[in-house]
Coordinates of all heavy atoms in Angstrom, one line a residue:
M11 N 0.9 -1.2 0.0 CA 0.0 0.0 0.0 C 0.9 1.2 0.0 O 0.6 2.2 -0.7 CB -0.9 0.0 1.2 CG -1.8 1.2 1.3 SD -3.1 1.1 0.0 CE -4.0 2.5 0.5
K12 N 1.9 1.3 0.8 CA 2.8 2.5 0.9 C 3.5 2.7 -0.5 O 3.7 3.8 -0.9 CB 3.9 2.2 1.9 CG 3.4 2.3 3.4 CD 4.5 2.2 4.4 CE 3.9 2.3 5.8 NZ 5.0 2.1 6.8
K13 N 3.8 1.6 -1.2 CA 4.5 1.8 -2.6 C 3.5 2.4 -3.5 O 3.9 3.3 -4.3 CB 5.1 0.5 -3.0 CG 6.3 0.0 -2.3 CD 6.8 -1.3 -2.9 CE 8.0 -1.8 -2.2 NZ 8.5 -3.0 -2.8
K14 N 2.3 2.0 -3.5 CA 1.3 2.6 -4.4 C 1.0 4.1 -4.0 O 0.9 4.8 -4.9 CB 0.0 1.8 -4.3 CG 0.0 0.4 -4.9 CD -1.3 -0.2 -4.9 CE -1.3 -1.6 -5.5 NZ -2.5 -2.3 -5.4
L15 N 1.0 4.4 -2.8 CA 0.7 5.8 -2.4 C 1.9 6.6 -2.8 O 1.7 7.8 -3.3 CB 0.5 5.8 -0.9 CG 0.1 7.2 -0.3 CD1 -1.1 7.8 -0.9 CD2 -0.1 7.1 1.2
L16 N 3.2 6.1 -2.6 CA 4.3 6.9 -2.9 C 4.3 7.0 -4.5 O 4.6 8.2 -4.9 CB 5.5 6.1 -2.4 CG 6.9 6.8 -2.7 CD1 6.9 8.2 -2.1 CD2 8.0 6.0 -2.2
A17 N 4.0 6.0 -5.2 CA 4.0 6.1 -6.7 C 3.1 7.1 -7.2 O 3.3 7.9 -8.0 CB 3.7 4.7 -7.3
L18 N 1.8 7.2 -6.5 CA 0.8 8.1 -6.9 C 1.2 9.5 -6.5 O 1.1 10.5 -7.4 CB -0.5 7.7 -6.2 CG -1.7 8.7 -6.4 CD1 -2.1 8.7 -7.8 CD2 -2.8 8.3 -5.5
L19 N 1.8 9.7 -5.4 CA 2.3 11.0 -5.0 C 3.4 11.6 -5.9 O 3.3 12.6 -6.4 CB 2.9 10.9 -3.6 CG 3.3 12.3 -3.0 CD1 2.2 13.3 -2.9 CD2 3.9 12.1 -1.6
M20 N 4.3 10.7 -6.2 CA 5.4 11.1 -7.2 C 4.8 11.4 -8.5 O 5.3 12.4 -9.2 CB 6.5 10.0 -7.2 CG 7.3 10.0 -5.9 SD 8.6 8.7 -6.0 CE 9.7 9.6 -7.1
G21 N 3.9 10.5 -9.0 CA 3.4 10.8 -10.3 C 2.6 12.1 -10.4 O 2.7 12.8 -11.4
T22 N 1.8 12.3 -9.4 CA 1.1 13.7 -9.3 C 2.1 14.8 -9.3 O 1.8 15.8 -9.9 CB 0.2 13.6 -8.1 OG1 -0.7 12.5 -8.1 CG2 -0.6 14.8 -8.0
S23 N 3.1 14.7 -8.5 CA 4.1 15.8 -8.4 C 4.7 16.1 -9.8 O 4.9 17.2 -10.1 CB 5.2 15.4 -7.4 OG 4.7 15.3 -6.1
L24 N 5.1 15.0 -10.5 CA 5.7 15.2 -11.8 C 4.7 15.9 -12.8 O 5.1 16.7 -13.6 CB 6.1 13.9 -12.4 CG 7.4 13.3 -11.7 CD1 7.7 11.9 -12.2 CD2 8.6 14.2 -12.0
A25 N 3.4 15.4 -12.7 CA 2.5 16.0 -13.7 C 2.3 17.5 -13.3 O 2.2 18.3 -14.3 CB 1.2 15.2 -13.6
L26 N 2.2 17.9 -12.1 CA 1.9 19.2 -11.7 C 3.2 20.1 -12.1 O 3.1 21.2 -12.6 CB 1.6 19.4 -10.2 CG 0.3 18.8 -9.8 CD1 0.2 18.9 -8.3 CD2 -0.8 19.6 -10.5
A27 N 4.4 19.5 -11.8 CA 5.6 20.3 -12.3 C 5.7 20.5 -13.7 O 6.1 21.6 -14.2 CB 6.8 19.5 -11.7
A28 N 5.3 19.6 -14.5 CA 5.4 19.7 -16.0 C 4.3 20.7 -16.5 O 4.5 21.4 -17.5 CB 5.1 18.4 -16.6
C29 N 3.2 20.8 -15.8 CA 2.1 21.7 -16.2 C 2.3 23.1 -15.7 O 1.8 24.0 -16.3 CB 0.8 21.2 -15.8 SG 0.4 19.6 -16.5
G30 N 2.9 23.3 -14.7 CA 3.0 24.7 -14.0 C 4.1 25.5 -14.5 O 4.9 25.1 -15.4
G31 N 4.1 26.7 -14.1 CA 5.4 27.6 -14.3 C 5.4 28.5 -15.5 O 6.3 28.5 -16.2
G32 N 4.3 29.3 -15.6 CA 4.3 30.3 -16.7 C 3.8 29.9 -18.0 O 3.4 28.8 -18.2
G33 N 3.9 30.9 -19.0 CA 3.4 30.7 -20.3 C 4.3 29.8 -21.1 O 5.4 29.5 -20.8
D34 N 3.8 29.5 -22.2 CA 4.7 28.7 -23.1 C 5.8 29.5 -23.7 O 5.6 30.7 -23.8 CB 3.9 27.9 -24.2 CG 3.1 28.8 -25.1 OD1 3.6 29.9 -25.4 OD2 2.1 28.3 -25.7
E35 N 6.7 28.9 -24.3 CA 7.9 29.6 -24.9 C 7.5 30.4 -26.0 O 8.1 31.5 -26.3 CB 9.0 28.6 -25.2 CG 9.6 27.9 -24.1 CD 10.4 28.8 -23.1 OE1 11.1 29.7 -23.7 OE2 10.4 28.7 -22.0
A36 N 6.6 29.9 -26.9 CA 6.3 30.6 -28.1 C 5.5 31.9 -27.9 O 5.4 32.7 -28.8 CB 5.5 29.7 -29.0
G37 N 4.9 32.1 -26.7 CA 4.1 33.3 -26.6 C 3.1 33.1 -25.5 O 1.9 32.7 -25.7
G38 N 3.5 33.4 -24.2 CA 2.5 33.2 -23.2 C 1.4 34.2 -23.1 O 1.2 35.0 -24.0
D39 N 0.7 34.1 -22.1 CA -0.5 35.0 -21.9 C 0.1 36.4 -21.5 O 0.6 36.5 -20.4 CB -1.4 34.3 -20.8 CG -2.6 35.3 -20.5 OD1 -2.8 36.2 -21.2 OD2 -3.3 34.9 -19.5
K40 N -0.2 37.4 -22.3 CA 0.4 38.7 -22.0 C -0.2 39.2 -20.6 O 0.6 39.9 -19.8 CB 0.0 39.8 -23.0 CG 0.7 41.1 -22.8 CD 0.4 42.1 -23.9 CE 1.1 43.4 -23.7 NZ 0.9 44.3 -24.7
A41 N -1.4 39.0 -20.3 CA -1.9 39.4 -18.9 C -1.2 38.7 -17.9 O -1.0 39.3 -16.8 CB -3.4 39.1 -18.9
G42 N -0.7 37.5 -18.0 CA 0.0 36.8 -16.9 C 1.5 36.8 -17.0 O 2.2 36.4 -16.1
A43 N 2.0 37.4 -18.1 CA 3.4 37.5 -18.3 C 4.1 38.5 -17.4 O 3.5 39.7 -17.3 CB 3.7 37.8 -19.8
D44 N 5.1 38.1 -16.8 CA 5.9 39.0 -15.9 C 7.1 39.4 -16.7 O 8.1 38.7 -16.8 CB 6.3 38.3 -14.6 CG 7.1 39.2 -13.6 OD1 7.5 40.3 -14.1 OD2 7.3 38.8 -12.5
P45 N 7.1 40.7 -17.3 CA 8.2 41.1 -18.2 C 9.5 41.1 -17.5 O 10.5 40.8 -18.1 CB 7.8 42.5 -18.6 CG 6.6 42.9 -17.8 CD 6.0 41.7 -17.1
E46 N 9.5 41.5 -16.2 CA 10.8 41.6 -15.5 C 11.4 40.2 -15.3 O 12.6 39.9 -15.6 CB 10.7 42.2 -14.2 CG 12.1 42.5 -13.5 CD 11.9 43.4 -12.3 OE1 10.8 43.8 -11.9 OE2 12.9 43.7 -11.7
K47 N 10.6 39.2 -15.1 CA 11.0 37.8 -14.9 C 11.5 37.2 -16.3 O 12.5 36.6 -16.4 CB 9.8 36.9 -14.4 CG 10.2 35.5 -14.2 CD 9.1 34.7 -13.5 CE 9.4 33.2 -13.4 NZ 8.3 32.4 -12.8
L48 N 10.7 37.5 -17.4 CA 11.1 37.1 -18.7 C 12.4 37.7 -19.1 O 13.3 37.0 -19.6 CB 10.0 37.5 -19.7 CG 8.7 36.7 -19.7 CD1 7.7 37.5 -20.5 CD2 8.9 35.3 -20.1
F49 N 12.6 39.0 -18.8 CA 14.0 39.7 -19.1 C 15.0 39.0 -18.3 O 16.1 38.7 -18.8 CB 13.9 41.2 -18.6 CG 15.2 41.8 -18.8 CD1 15.5 42.5 -20.0 CD2 16.1 42.0 -17.8 CE1 16.7 43.0 -20.2 CE2 17.3 42.6 -18.0 CZ 17.6 43.1 -19.1
N50 N 14.8 38.7 -17.0 CA 15.8 38.1 -16.2 C 16.2 36.6 -16.7 O 17.4 36.2 -16.7 CB 15.5 38.0 -14.8 CG 15.5 39.3 -14.1 OD1 16.4 40.2 -14.4 ND2 14.6 39.6 -13.2
Q51 N 15.2 36.0 -17.3 CA 15.5 34.6 -17.8 C 16.2 34.6 -19.1 O 17.0 33.8 -19.4 CB 14.1 33.8 -17.9 CG 13.5 33.5 -16.7 CD 12.1 32.9 -16.9 OE1 11.5 33.1 -18.0 NE2 11.5 32.3 -15.8
K52 N 15.8 35.5 -20.0 CA 16.3 35.5 -21.4 C 17.3 36.6 -21.8 O 18.1 36.4 -22.7 CB 15.1 35.6 -22.3 CG 14.0 34.5 -22.2 CD 14.6 33.2 -22.8 CE 13.5 32.2 -22.8 NZ 13.8 31.0 -23.6
C53 N 17.3 37.6 -21.1 CA 18.0 38.8 -21.6 C 19.2 39.4 -20.6 O 20.2 40.0 -21.0 CB 17.1 40.0 -21.8 SG 15.6 39.6 -22.7
S54 N 19.0 39.1 -19.4 CA 19.9 39.8 -18.4 C 21.4 39.2 -18.5 O 22.3 39.9 -18.1 CB 19.4 39.6 -17.0 OG 19.4 38.2 -16.6
S55 N 21.6 38.0 -19.0 CA 22.9 37.6 -19.1 C 23.8 38.4 -20.0 O 25.0 38.6 -19.9 CB 23.0 36.1 -19.6 OG 22.4 36.1 -21.0
C56 N 23.1 39.1 -21.0 CA 23.9 40.1 -21.9 C 23.7 41.5 -21.5 O 24.6 42.4 -21.7 CB 23.5 39.9 -23.3 SG 24.1 38.3 -24.0
H57 N 22.4 41.9 -21.0 CA 22.1 43.3 -20.8 C 22.2 43.7 -19.3 O 22.0 44.8 -19.0 CB 20.7 43.5 -21.3 CG 20.6 43.5 -22.8 ND1 21.1 44.4 -23.6 CD2 20.0 42.5 -23.5 CE1 20.9 44.1 -24.9 NE2 20.2 42.9 -24.9
G58 N 22.6 42.7 -18.4 CA 22.8 42.9 -17.0 C 21.5 42.9 -16.2 O 20.4 43.3 -16.7
G59 N 21.6 42.4 -15.0 CA 20.4 42.3 -14.2 C 19.7 43.6 -13.8 O 18.6 43.6 -13.5
N60 N 20.5 44.6 -13.8 CA 20.0 46.0 -13.6 C 19.9 46.8 -14.8 O 20.0 48.1 -14.7 CB 20.8 46.7 -12.4 CG 20.8 46.0 -11.2 OD1 19.7 45.5 -10.7 ND2 21.9 45.8 -10.5
L61 N 19.9 46.2 -16.0 CA 19.9 46.9 -17.2 C 21.1 47.7 -17.6 O 21.0 48.6 -18.4 CB 18.5 47.7 -17.3 CG 17.2 47.1 -17.0 CD1 16.1 48.1 -16.9 CD2 16.9 46.1 -18.1
E62 N 22.2 47.4 -16.8 CA 23.4 48.3 -16.9 C 24.2 47.9 -18.2 O 25.2 48.7 -18.5 CB 24.2 48.2 -15.7 CG 24.9 46.8 -15.5 CD 24.1 45.7 -14.9 OE1 22.9 45.8 -14.7 OE2 24.7 44.6 -14.5
G63 N 23.9 46.9 -18.9 CA 24.7 46.5 -20.0 C 25.8 45.5 -19.6 O 26.0 45.2 -18.5
G64 N 26.5 45.1 -20.6 CA 27.5 44.1 -20.5 C 28.0 43.8 -21.9 O 28.5 44.6 -22.6
V65 N 27.7 42.5 -22.3 CA 28.0 42.1 -23.6 C 27.1 42.9 -24.5 O 27.4 43.3 -25.6 CB 27.7 40.5 -23.8 CG1 27.8 40.1 -25.2 CG2 28.7 39.8 -22.9
G66 N 25.8 43.0 -24.2 CA 24.8 43.8 -25.0 C 24.7 45.2 -24.3 O 25.2 45.5 -23.3
P67 N 24.1 46.2 -25.0 CA 24.1 47.5 -24.6 C 23.2 47.7 -23.3 O 22.3 46.9 -23.0 CB 23.4 48.3 -25.7 CG 22.7 47.2 -26.4 CD 23.4 46.0 -26.3
K68 N 23.4 48.8 -22.6 CA 22.6 49.2 -21.4 C 21.2 49.5 -21.9 O 20.9 50.1 -23.0 CB 23.3 50.3 -20.7 CG 22.5 51.5 -20.5 CD 23.3 52.6 -19.8 CE 22.8 53.9 -20.3 NZ 22.8 55.0 -19.4
L69 N 20.2 49.1 -21.1 CA 18.8 49.3 -21.4 C 18.1 50.1 -20.4 O 16.8 50.3 -20.4 CB 18.2 47.9 -21.6 CG 18.7 47.1 -22.7 CD1 17.9 45.7 -22.8 CD2 18.6 47.8 -24.1
S70 N 18.8 50.6 -19.4 CA 18.1 51.3 -18.2 C 17.4 52.6 -18.7 O 16.5 53.1 -18.0 CB 19.1 51.7 -17.2 OG 20.2 52.5 -17.8
D71 N 17.6 53.1 -19.9 CA 17.0 54.3 -20.5 C 16.6 54.1 -21.9 O 16.4 55.0 -22.7 CB 17.8 55.6 -20.3 CG 19.2 55.4 -21.1 OD1 19.5 54.4 -21.6 OD2 19.9 56.6 -21.2
V72 N 16.5 52.8 -22.3 CA 16.2 52.4 -23.7 C 14.8 53.1 -24.2 O 14.7 53.4 -25.4 CB 16.1 50.9 -23.9 CG1 15.0 50.3 -23.2 CG2 16.1 50.6 -25.4
G73 N 13.9 53.3 -23.3 CA 12.6 53.9 -23.7 C 12.8 55.4 -24.1 O 11.9 55.9 -24.8
S74 N 13.9 56.0 -23.8 CA 14.1 57.4 -24.2 C 14.7 57.4 -25.6 O 14.7 58.4 -26.3 CB 14.9 58.1 -23.2 OG 16.3 57.6 -23.2
R75 N 15.1 56.3 -26.1 CA 15.8 56.1 -27.4 C 14.9 55.4 -28.5 O 14.9 55.7 -29.6 CB 17.1 55.4 -27.3 CG 18.1 56.1 -26.4 CD 19.5 55.5 -26.5 NE 19.5 54.0 -26.3 CZ 19.6 53.5 -25.1 NH1 19.8 54.2 -24.0 NH2 19.6 52.1 -25.0
L76 N 14.2 54.4 -28.0 CA 13.4 53.6 -28.9 C 11.9 53.5 -28.4 O 11.6 53.5 -27.2 CB 13.9 52.2 -28.9 CG 15.4 52.0 -29.4 CD1 15.8 50.6 -29.3 CD2 15.5 52.5 -30.9
S77 N 11.0 53.4 -29.3 CA 9.5 53.2 -29.0 C 9.3 51.7 -28.7 O 10.2 50.9 -28.9 CB 8.7 53.6 -30.2 OG 8.8 52.7 -31.3
Q78 N 8.2 51.5 -28.1 CA 7.8 50.0 -27.9 C 7.9 49.2 -29.2 O 8.5 48.0 -29.2 CB 6.4 50.0 -27.3 CG 6.0 48.5 -27.0 CD 4.6 48.4 -26.3 OE1 4.1 49.3 -25.7 NE2 4.1 47.3 -26.4
D79 N 7.4 49.7 -30.2 CA 7.4 49.0 -31.6 C 8.8 48.7 -32.0 O 9.1 47.7 -32.5 CB 6.6 49.8 -32.6 CG 5.2 49.7 -32.4 OD1 4.7 48.8 -31.7 OD2 4.4 50.5 -32.9
E80 N 9.7 49.7 -31.9 CA 11.1 49.5 -32.2 C 11.8 48.5 -31.3 O 12.6 47.7 -31.9 CB 11.8 50.9 -32.2 CG 11.4 51.9 -33.2 CD 11.9 53.3 -33.0 OE1 12.1 53.7 -31.8 OE2 12.1 53.9 -34.0
I81 N 11.6 48.5 -30.1 CA 12.2 47.5 -29.2 C 11.6 46.1 -29.5 O 12.4 45.2 -29.6 CB 11.8 47.9 -27.7 CG1 12.4 49.1 -27.2 CG2 12.2 46.7 -26.7 CD1 11.9 49.8 -25.9
E82 N 10.3 46.0 -29.8 CA 9.8 44.7 -30.2 C 10.4 44.3 -31.5 O 10.6 43.1 -31.7 CB 8.2 44.8 -30.3 CG 7.6 43.5 -30.3 CD 6.1 43.5 -30.0 OE1 5.6 44.6 -29.5 OE2 5.4 42.6 -30.2
S83 N 10.7 45.2 -32.4 CA 11.3 44.8 -33.7 C 12.7 44.2 -33.4 O 13.1 43.3 -34.0 CB 11.4 46.0 -34.6 OG 12.1 45.6 -35.8
V84 N 13.5 44.8 -32.5 CA 14.8 44.4 -32.2 C 14.7 42.9 -31.6 O 15.5 42.1 -31.9 CB 15.5 45.4 -31.2 CG1 16.8 44.7 -30.6 CG2 15.8 46.7 -31.9
I85 N 13.7 42.8 -30.7 CA 13.6 41.5 -30.1 C 13.2 40.4 -31.1 O 13.7 39.3 -31.2 CB 12.4 41.5 -29.0 CG1 12.9 42.3 -27.8 CG2 12.1 40.0 -28.5 CD1 11.7 42.6 -26.8
A86 N 12.3 40.7 -32.1 CA 11.9 39.8 -33.1 C 13.0 39.5 -34.1 O 13.2 38.4 -34.5 CB 10.7 40.3 -33.8
N87 N 13.8 40.6 -34.5 CA 14.7 40.4 -35.7 C 16.2 40.3 -35.2 O 17.1 40.1 -36.0 CB 14.6 41.6 -36.6 CG 13.2 41.7 -37.2 OD1 12.7 40.7 -37.6 ND2 12.6 42.9 -37.0
G88 N 16.4 40.6 -33.9 CA 17.9 40.6 -33.4 C 18.5 41.8 -33.9 O 17.9 42.7 -34.7
Q89 N 19.7 42.1 -33.4 CA 20.4 43.3 -33.8 C 21.9 43.1 -33.4 O 22.2 42.6 -32.2 CB 19.9 44.5 -33.2 CG 20.6 45.8 -33.7 CD 19.8 47.1 -33.2 OE1 18.7 47.0 -32.6 NE2 20.4 48.2 -33.3
G90 N 22.9 43.3 -34.2 CA 24.3 43.1 -33.9 C 24.4 41.7 -33.6 O 24.1 40.8 -34.4
S91 N 25.0 41.4 -32.4 CA 25.2 40.0 -32.0 C 24.0 39.3 -31.3 O 24.1 38.2 -31.0 CB 26.5 39.9 -31.1 OG 26.3 40.6 -29.9
M92 N 23.0 40.1 -31.2 CA 21.8 39.6 -30.5 C 21.0 38.7 -31.4 O 20.6 39.2 -32.6 CB 20.9 40.7 -30.0 CG 19.6 40.2 -29.4 SD 18.6 41.6 -28.8 CE 17.0 40.9 -28.7
P93 N 20.7 37.4 -31.1 CA 19.9 36.6 -32.0 C 18.5 37.0 -32.0 O 18.0 37.6 -31.0 CB 20.1 35.2 -31.4 CG 20.5 35.4 -30.1 CD 21.2 36.7 -29.9
P94 N 17.8 36.7 -33.1 CA 16.4 37.0 -33.2 C 15.5 36.0 -32.3 O 16.0 34.9 -32.0 CB 16.0 36.8 -34.7 CG 17.0 35.8 -35.2 CD 18.3 36.1 -34.4
K95 N 14.3 36.4 -32.0 CA 13.3 35.5 -31.4 C 13.7 34.8 -30.1 O 13.3 33.8 -29.8 CB 12.9 34.5 -32.4 CG 12.3 35.1 -33.7 CD 11.9 34.0 -34.6 CE 11.3 34.7 -35.9 NZ 11.0 33.7 -36.9
L96 N 14.5 35.6 -29.3 CA 14.7 35.1 -27.9 C 13.4 35.1 -27.1 O 13.2 34.2 -26.3 CB 15.7 35.9 -27.2 CG 17.2 35.8 -27.6 CD1 18.1 36.7 -27.0 CD2 17.7 34.4 -27.5
L97 N 12.5 36.0 -27.5 CA 11.1 36.1 -26.9 C 10.3 36.2 -28.1 O 10.6 36.9 -29.1 CB 11.0 37.2 -26.0 CG 11.8 37.1 -24.6 CD1 11.7 38.5 -23.9 CD2 11.2 36.1 -23.7
E98 N 9.1 35.7 -28.1 CA 8.1 35.8 -29.1 C 6.7 36.1 -28.7 O 6.4 35.9 -27.5 CB 8.1 34.5 -30.0 CG 9.4 34.2 -30.7 CD 9.3 32.9 -31.5 OE1 9.6 31.8 -31.0 OE2 9.2 33.1 -32.7
G99 N 5.9 36.5 -29.5 CA 4.5 36.7 -29.2 C 4.2 37.7 -28.1 O 4.9 38.8 -28.1
D100 N 3.3 37.3 -27.2 CA 2.9 38.1 -26.1 C 4.1 38.4 -25.1 O 4.2 39.5 -24.5 CB 1.7 37.6 -25.4 CG 0.4 37.6 -26.2 OD1 0.4 38.4 -27.1 OD2 -0.5 36.9 -25.8
D101 N 5.0 37.4 -25.0 CA 6.2 37.6 -24.1 C 7.0 38.8 -24.7 O 7.4 39.6 -23.8 CB 7.0 36.3 -24.0 CG 6.3 35.2 -23.2 OD1 5.3 35.4 -22.5 OD2 6.7 34.0 -23.2
A102 N 7.3 38.7 -26.0 CA 8.1 39.8 -26.6 C 7.4 41.2 -26.4 O 8.0 42.2 -26.0 CB 8.3 39.5 -28.0
S103 N 6.1 41.2 -26.6 CA 5.3 42.5 -26.4 C 5.4 43.0 -25.0 O 5.5 44.1 -24.8 CB 3.9 42.3 -26.8 OG 3.7 41.9 -28.2
A104 N 5.3 42.0 -24.1 CA 5.3 42.4 -22.6 C 6.6 43.0 -22.3 O 6.7 44.1 -21.6 CB 4.9 41.3 -21.7
V105 N 7.7 42.4 -22.7 CA 9.1 42.9 -22.4 C 9.3 44.2 -23.1 O 9.9 45.1 -22.5 CB 10.1 41.8 -22.7 CG1 11.5 42.4 -22.6 CG2 10.0 40.6 -21.8
A106 N 8.9 44.3 -24.3 CA 9.0 45.6 -25.1 C 8.3 46.7 -24.4 O 8.8 47.8 -24.2 CB 8.5 45.4 -26.6
E107 N 7.1 46.5 -24.0 CA 6.3 47.5 -23.2 C 7.1 47.9 -21.9 O 7.1 49.1 -21.6 CB 4.9 47.0 -23.0 CG 4.0 48.0 -22.2 CD 2.6 47.5 -21.9 OE1 2.4 46.4 -22.3 OE2 1.9 48.2 -21.3
W108 N 7.5 46.9 -21.2 CA 8.2 47.2 -19.9 C 9.5 48.0 -20.2 O 9.8 49.0 -19.4 CB 8.6 45.8 -19.3 CG 9.3 45.9 -18.0 CD1 8.8 46.3 -16.8 CD2 10.7 45.5 -17.7 NE1 9.8 46.1 -15.8 CE2 10.9 45.7 -16.4 CE3 11.6 45.0 -18.6 CZ2 12.2 45.4 -15.8 CZ3 12.9 44.7 -18.0 CH2 13.1 44.9 -16.7
L109 N 10.3 47.6 -21.2 CA 11.5 48.4 -21.5 C 11.2 49.7 -22.1 O 11.9 50.7 -21.8 CB 12.3 47.6 -22.5 CG 13.0 46.4 -22.0 CD1 13.7 45.5 -23.1 CD2 14.1 46.7 -21.0
A110 N 10.1 49.9 -22.8 CA 9.8 51.2 -23.4 C 9.5 52.2 -22.3 O 9.6 53.4 -22.5 CB 8.6 51.1 -24.3
N111 N 9.1 51.8 -21.1 CA 8.9 52.6 -20.0 C 10.2 53.0 -19.2 O 10.0 53.8 -18.2 CB 7.8 52.0 -19.0 CG 6.4 52.1 -19.6 OD1 6.0 53.0 -20.2 ND2 5.8 50.9 -19.6
K112 N 11.3 52.4 -19.6 CA 12.5 52.8 -19.0 C 13.1 54.0 -19.7 O 13.6 54.0 -20.8 CB 13.5 51.6 -19.1 CG 13.1 50.3 -18.6 CD 12.8 50.4 -17.1 CE 12.4 49.0 -16.5 NZ 12.0 49.1 -15.1
K113 N 13.0 55.2 -19.0 CA 13.4 56.4 -19.6 C 14.5 57.1 -18.8 O 14.7 57.6 -17.9 CB 12.2 57.3 -19.8 CG 11.2 56.6 -20.6 CD 10.3 57.5 -21.3 CE 9.1 56.7 -21.9 NZ 8.8 56.9 -23.2

């Protein structure tokens, strides 16, 4: 009985772990997307955790230089050594909107 219960518990845990944790990679739900979290997962290794730059340019004031549409275009198409489509769909839109407010 204990083995069956343990197997059921582990199976349930695996199923819940596989189903949870944010939107899908191709374009999560914009209302539920956390742009700062997405940035930290996909962009901060090059642009810095505080938007200070590094391998990529600083983004702490990117909204004063680029519009949301321009930022979204850079995310979609890449620029310089930045590859395209690191974020897509609603995730890209959410991060572009968040960055456009950095002035």
Side-chain angles (χ1 to χ4, degrees):
M11 180 70 179
K12 287 184 182 180
K13 287 183 181 181
K14 287 183 181 179
L15 184 58
L16 182 60
L18 178 63
L19 181 61
M20 290 183 70
T22 303
S23 296
L24 286 173
L26 290 174
C29 294
D34 63 25
E35 293 294 318
D39 177 10
K40 186 174 180 179
D44 180 350
E46 189 170 0
K47 183 177 179 181
L48 290 167
F49 176 87
N50 286 328
Q51 291 172 343
K52 300 284 188 170
C53 313
S54 65
S55 61
C56 292
H57 294 287
N60 294 318
L61 309 169
E62 73 275 12
V65 175
K68 122 180 149 150
L69 299 177
S70 59
D71 62 351
V72 69
S74 66
R75 298 186 310 269
L76 300 174
S77 70
Q78 179 178 339
D79 288 339
E80 291 169 324
I81 294 168
E82 198 164 344
S83 176
V84 171
I85 293 170
N87 302 311
Q89 186 171 349
S91 62
M92 179 179 157
K95 299 180 182 177
L96 289 175
L97 294 166
E98 296 183 277
D100 290 340
D101 289 347
S103 296
V105 171
E107 180 180 1
W108 179 71
L109 287 171
N111 289 314
K112 306 293 181 190
K113 304 204 187 229

